[in-house]
Amino acid sequence: MLDIRLIPVLSDNYVYLLRDGATGAVAVVDPGEAEPVAMVLDDLGWRLSHILNTHHHADHVAGNEDLKRLSQAPVIGPEADRHRIPTLDQGVGEGDTVRVGSRTARVIAVPGHTSGHIAFWFEADSALFCGDTLFSLGCGRLFEGTPAQMWDSLQKLRALPDETRIYCGHEYTAGNARFALSIDPDNPALQARAAEVERLWLAGKPTLPVTLGAEKRANPFLHADDPALAARLGMAGADPVAVFAETRRRKDTFRG
């Protein structure tokens, strides 16, 4: 199994280090800052061999250049964003694979938050690095994509095995829980997850990773095709894309 380390950076971002024990290969996912990553690498005695980007936003790629200079590690990210990730060495897209030592990730195209967004799924390690597409109890804002694109992307991720662990780009779970409870207050799985999140938050601990199975039960953004959610939104019989769009609209204006 991959040895996965979570590194908080900036105000609420997470960067991930992945080490393959069989070969010593080490990848970093979405380095929004270089210095915290370099410090952890030094502390652990690990040498960086791969830099993985899910999308082009600065809080996910700003550390690329410095880490590449320190390690000579190639930057691997969405081919569709080649013009927006100047350090990119290897562009990948839907169905491609990326090897980190003996471990293999499948690339999944998940446009919506950005037009070129991808996720890295290490199936044998039950680990999904999904950037800002899927959050615990939430999903990313639609900066470049459409509701239809994002709903399609979320359905792709929802179809992965329940035991898949979600490693997303931000610590947004507490705020997401408050919104989710505002539109799905009687969901026992959501209630339990919200209570767990509050305990972790008060203890100063990360709320991630979380299993996809838990998200399938509690995350309203994965329920746009559930007639019960549509009815609660006053949209009985509506198309799931319309239900998703309304859920996202409400989250964008939520002040709870």
Side-chain angles (χ1 to χ4, degrees):
M1 297 287 287
L2 285 170
D3 184 351
I4 301 172
R5 305 295 176 99
L6 178 155
I7 305 174
V9 303
L10 304 172
S11 61
D12 52 33
N13 279 70
Y14 285 136
V15 175
Y16 299 100
L17 283 180
L18 295 57
R19 183 178 186 272
D20 171 32
T23 64
V26 177
V28 63
V29 180
D30 285 350
E33 281 189 296
E35 185 175 359
V37 176
M39 290 175 63
V40 173
L41 287 167
D42 285 346
D43 288 345
L44 295 172
W46 293 0
R47 179 171 177 80
L48 195 63
S49 59
H50 301 74
I51 300 168
L52 308 182
N53 292 155
T54 62
H55 64 294
H56 70 87
H57 284 163
D59 61 331
H60 293 254
V61 305
N64 281 4
E65 186 173 0
D66 286 345
L67 291 173
K68 184 176 178 177
R69 185 176 65 253
L70 289 170
S71 65
Q72 287 73 58
V75 176
I76 303 169
E79 176 62 32
D81 277 342
R82 179 173 290 278
H83 61 298
R84 300 194 286 190
I85 305 177
T87 53
L88 191 67
D89 296 299
Q90 180 183 345
V92 294
E94 177 72 30
D96 288 339
T97 57
V98 174
R99 291 187 64 82
V100 177
S102 68
R103 318 311 291 173
T104 301
R106 192 183 102 199
V107 176
I108 305 173
V110 285
H113 180 65
T114 65
S115 59
H117 206 303
I118 60 173
F120 297 94
W121 178 39
F122 289 83
E123 180 178 6
D125 298 279
S126 297
L128 175 70
F129 298 89
C130 52
D132 289 359
T133 297
L134 175 66
F135 296 124
S136 182
L137 303 181
C139 75
R141 287 180 179 265
L142 306 186
F143 288 123
E144 297 174 9
T146 66
Q149 285 179 311
M150 186 62 125
W151 174 237
D152 181 67
S153 295
L154 291 174
Q155 287 183 92
K156 284 185 183 180
L157 300 184
R158 188 177 67 173
L160 300 179
D162 282 5
E163 64 269 21
T164 303
R165 290 167 293 150
I166 305 301
Y167 295 91
C168 57
H170 291 271
E171 182 56 78
Y172 287 165
T173 320
N176 288 342
R178 289 191 292 273
F179 170 72
L181 286 167
S182 76
I183 63 169
D184 195 11
D186 300 321
N187 182 334
L190 172 55
Q191 293 170 353
R193 174 62 173 154
E196 176 189 37
V197 167
E198 184 174 8
R199 289 192 298 271
L200 291 168
W201 184 258
L202 290 174
K205 296 180 179 179
T207 64
L208 303 167
V210 60
T211 67
L212 183 58
E215 288 300 302
K216 290 177 184 179
R217 294 186 291 272
N219 188 333
F221 290 96
L222 298 179
H223 294 172
D225 53 356
D226 181 351
L229 178 61
R232 283 192 295 274
L233 296 178
M235 301 178 69
D239 181 84
V241 172
V243 175
F244 170 78
E246 175 62 15
T247 306
R248 185 63 254 181
R249 186 194 68 77
R250 293 191 185 198
K251 177 63 169 68
D252 290 343
T253 59
F254 183 69
R255 296 294 181 266

